[in-house]
Amino acid sequence: MSLAPEEFAPAGVFLNSATLGLAPRRSVEAMRAFEDARAAGEVDAVSVDAYVERGRAAFATMIGRSPDDVATGSQTSQFVGLVAASLPAGAVVLAAEEDFTSVLFPFLRTPGLDVRLVPLDALLDAVSDEVDLVAVSAVQSADGRVLDLDGLAAAAARHGARTLVDVTQAAGWLPLHDLVADYVVAGGYKWLLGPRGTCFFSVGPALRDEVPTLAAGWYAGGSRWDSIYGPPLRLAEDARRFDLSPAWGCWVGHAPALDLLLEVGIERIHGHDLALANAFREGIGLPPGDSAIVSVPCPPDVPERLAAAGIRAAVRAGRLRLSFHLYNSDADVDTVLRALA
């Protein structure tokens, strides 16, 4: 059985959360109400701040941080770019060569950085005293491999390196309350069930002054609605100094979804998602795994067969990628196994 079945109504079998999570009913209702208010000219812009703060607090809870350490925006690459811009010329950045390019491109396009790419399986062993920053996803988008986050933190501590961890494919199903990382970024529209247009960036007080506020606007002001005109520069003291002006409707929809995830419980979601993923693995003769994402070979006729069976999945890096989340059930596993048989 799925978790919170009253909140979701997919058409067919949806196994594509690694691309875009389903919207809970409560989120859809909130966004419709917002759009109705906008159509009537009755939107209270100041009131949307409460949704942004709910989202900030919920994400902070998921990763074991204070809301003061979390900034909000719309795209992970922009926040990764701020970290890249904070590094001095000659800094060595270590990353996984097969990682998502929103993690890689900001460093690769920053002049003066020494970016060293290695296979993910060799990443921890490649951390050395020369490395200034390790930038990597907690869970790989292409195939769902889960990084040893404790091992990363230990390796970085041994060699005095900082870490940037992208949890876009992890937050929402993988428990992260004990995550040790200097910088954390996450897109909100996958496992966190938000509309596309929400993002989080966590950076603690010890490093905040090192990260440039290159995209600072009125929403980064210490008092937002008193920061909309004229000098002087008056940014927030905490991580809100990195906030980007929010896509209002997106945050109105995302805050209720994050509330739902915390109500159900990330630990419970983790157990549920892994159980389904491992039931699928068993059904095709694979050993159990540690990821809610399963990547398998994809013969040419598979996408058509899945579509005919009403199954939504994705093809990434030439392989079929299936992702199991709280709205999936044992019946979904049975349906996809029959379609692939």
Side-chain angles (χ1 to χ4, degrees), residues 152-326:
L152 172 65
R158 280 196 306 272
H159 297 285
R162 292 176 181 170
T163 54
L164 181 151
V165 179
D166 184 333
V167 298
T168 299
Q169 294 290 4
W173 74 267
L174 185 67
L176 296 168
H177 44 78
D178 294 326
L179 175 64
V180 176
D182 295 293
Y183 311 101
V184 182
V185 295
Y189 64 97
K190 299 179 185 288
W191 306 86
L192 292 176
L193 310 182
R196 187 168 172 85
T198 64
C199 180
F200 301 95
F201 172 50
S202 175
V203 53
L207 297 178
R208 281 203 283 265
D209 288 341
E210 297 184 17
V211 179
T213 51
L214 296 177
W218 71 278
Y219 211 74
S223 176
R224 298 179 185 118
W225 294 96
D226 295 322
S227 301
I228 54 178
Y229 300 115
L233 182 67
R234 47 199 187 276
L235 300 182
E237 294 294 325
D238 59 14
R240 286 198 307 105
R241 71 179 72 176
F242 305 110
D243 277 8
L244 302 180
S245 180
W248 284 338
C250 294
W251 286 100
V252 168
H254 200 184
L258 293 166
D259 292 343
L260 172 64
L261 292 172
L262 291 177
E263 289 168 16
V264 176
I266 303 302
E267 295 281 356
R268 184 181 175 201
I269 294 171
H270 177 247
H272 173 85
D273 292 5
L274 276 191
L276 295 179
N278 282 332
F280 172 75
R281 290 184 179 98
E282 181 180 5
I284 60 172
L286 292 176
D290 60 356
S291 181
I293 299 173
V294 184
S295 175
V296 296
C298 185
D301 65 332
V302 162
E304 183 178 348
R305 286 160 55 192
L306 294 184
I311 299 168
R312 294 276 185 173
V315 177
R316 293 291 185 272
R319 294 168 63 87
L320 176 65
R321 186 186 69 182
L322 305 170
S323 31
F324 299 85
H325 206 7
L326 75 163

Side-chain angles (χ1 to χ4, degrees), residues 124 127-129 131-134 149-164 180-182:
L124 299 190
V127 181
S128 69
D129 291 345
V131 174
D132 296 292
L133 176 77
V134 183
L149 294 170
D150 290 338
L152 172 65
R158 280 196 306 272
H159 297 285
R162 292 176 181 170
T163 54
L164 181 151
V180 176
D182 295 293

Side-chain angles (χ1 to χ4, degrees), residues 45-108:
V46 177
S47 69
V48 178
D49 290 349
Y51 292 93
V52 177
E53 296 311 316
R54 275 170 60 190
R56 188 193 315 273
F59 182 74
T61 296
M62 289 182 190
I63 64 169
R65 303 290 198 279
S66 164
D68 291 344
D69 295 337
V70 175
T72 60
S74 59
Q75 300 294 330
T76 58
S77 58
Q78 186 160 20
F79 285 135
V80 176
L82 295 183
V83 176
S86 75
L87 299 175
V92 175
V93 179
L94 179 67
E97 61 187 17
E98 61 268 59
D99 214 333
F100 198 76
T101 51
S102 290
V103 177
L104 302 180
F105 279 5
F107 297 105
L108 291 172

